[in-house]
Amino acid sequence: VFQVNGWTVLRDGAAGEFRCWYENWGINPGSVDRGAAAPGRDRPNLGFLGSALCYARSDDGITWEKPGFDYLLHEGEKTNVVFGRQDYERSESSSVFEDPMEADPQKRYKSFYGHFADDGHVVTLAYSPDGIHWTPSDERPTFGELGEGLGDCYTVIADLDSQTYRCTCRHKGILSIHHDDRRPRTPSVFFHPTYPRDAARANKRRVFQAVSNDLIHWSN
């Protein structure tokens, strides 16, 4: 089930199949409390368990199957989860891409994803030779004055014309970036309406772009 904002569909020409990576946003229904905020947050407590990256394949892009892997077992059974377990503090908003500019076959696939480390939420890069077995990079991407932080939702592509990488993303300060002083300020809460018909107030869902030569050092 596609539960939240992370999925990628690619066609593997060599294998003649479609491949999909998507996010499983774990929820514990017994702990959902819509009337109370989660600890330390201004949003409802949704009983969040953590996210994981799941994998599916298809011959025609219409009918999909979910292969079973040993990475994460559920009640002793294999699952189609390929990355992100409770002991790793989740993998969310993942963007998977095949890198045509990469010479190392062990890093053919790359993934940008959100990760909760000891120092908070950071954007992290992982490598894979096959899209199934993933290894987190030892070095975290940085984004100009934003450091290691971004808002969630990012998509990374390799731009062959310029030989650079481009990342479309949300801004870490989505609730406080420029607005028109003649208009009321949007309250600083995550789930507040985003005013889709009022561009001066719709700062929450703007799309930004950063550029990099190496996937680690990104423009502001």
Side-chain angles (χ1 to χ4, degrees):
V1 178
F2 282 28
Q3 294 177 317
V4 75
N5 60 339
W7 58 82
T8 303
V9 178
L10 301 176
R11 185 179 187 278
D12 187 323
E17 65 179 13
F18 293 91
R19 314 184 75 186
C20 175
W21 295 262
Y22 65 96
E23 182 177 352
N24 177 47
W25 201 58
I27 292 291
N28 178 4
S31 66
V32 173
D33 184 352
R34 299 185 182 278
R41 295 176 180 265
D42 58 7
R43 66 190 71 176
N45 182 2
L46 299 179
F48 184 60
L49 294 176
S51 293
L53 184 65
C54 301
Y55 174 80
R57 64 161 304 280
S58 172
D59 290 327
D60 57 9
I62 302 298
T63 303
W64 293 84
E65 62 180 5
K66 301 176 181 179
F69 303 104
D70 293 322
Y71 176 78
L72 181 65
L73 302 180
H74 177 69
E75 297 180 352
E77 299 292 330
K78 296 180 179 181
T79 69
N80 69 322
V81 174
V82 294
F83 190 60
R85 291 185 293 225
Q86 287 292 306
D87 58 358
Y88 185 64
E89 288 295 326
R90 84 199 210 198
S91 162
E92 65 172 14
S93 300
S94 298
S95 172
V96 177
F97 67 102
E98 186 176 3
D99 188 352
M101 300 192 297
E102 177 59 66
D104 185 349
Q106 293 301 307
K107 298 180 179 180
R108 174 186 174 191
Y109 289 95
K110 310 277 176 50
S111 175
F112 261 46
Y113 60 97
H115 172 62
F116 276 80
D118 293 338
D119 52 350
H121 183 271
V122 296
V123 177
T124 307
L125 173 67
Y127 308 105
S128 174
D130 54 10
I132 305 299
H133 303 89
W134 292 92
T135 302
S137 170
D138 293 331
E139 190 173 6
R140 292 178 185 169
T142 59
F143 297 85
E145 66 183 17
L146 298 178
E148 296 168 351
L150 285 180
D152 58 357
C153 310
Y154 11 83
T155 300
V156 181
I157 63 168
D159 185 336
L160 293 177
D161 290 335
S162 64
Q163 290 292 293
T164 59
Y165 300 96
R166 298 184 181 273
C167 175
T168 56
C169 55
R170 290 210 297 195
H171 196 284
K172 184 179 182 180
I174 56 176
L175 299 177
S176 60
I177 59 177
H178 175 74
H179 73 288
D180 187 336
D181 287 331
R182 296 171 297 179
R183 308 294 184 92
R185 178 182 289 274
T186 302
S188 181
V189 292
F190 190 83
F191 285 126
H192 196 277
T194 54
Y195 308 104
R197 296 175 181 83
D198 188 343
R201 300 171 73 189
N203 60 345
K204 181 179 173 185
R205 300 295 177 179
R206 287 177 177 153
V207 179
F208 294 80
Q209 184 179 116
V211 181
S212 174
N213 293 318
D214 60 5
L215 292 171
I216 300 297
H217 304 93
W218 291 84
S219 64
N220 200 35

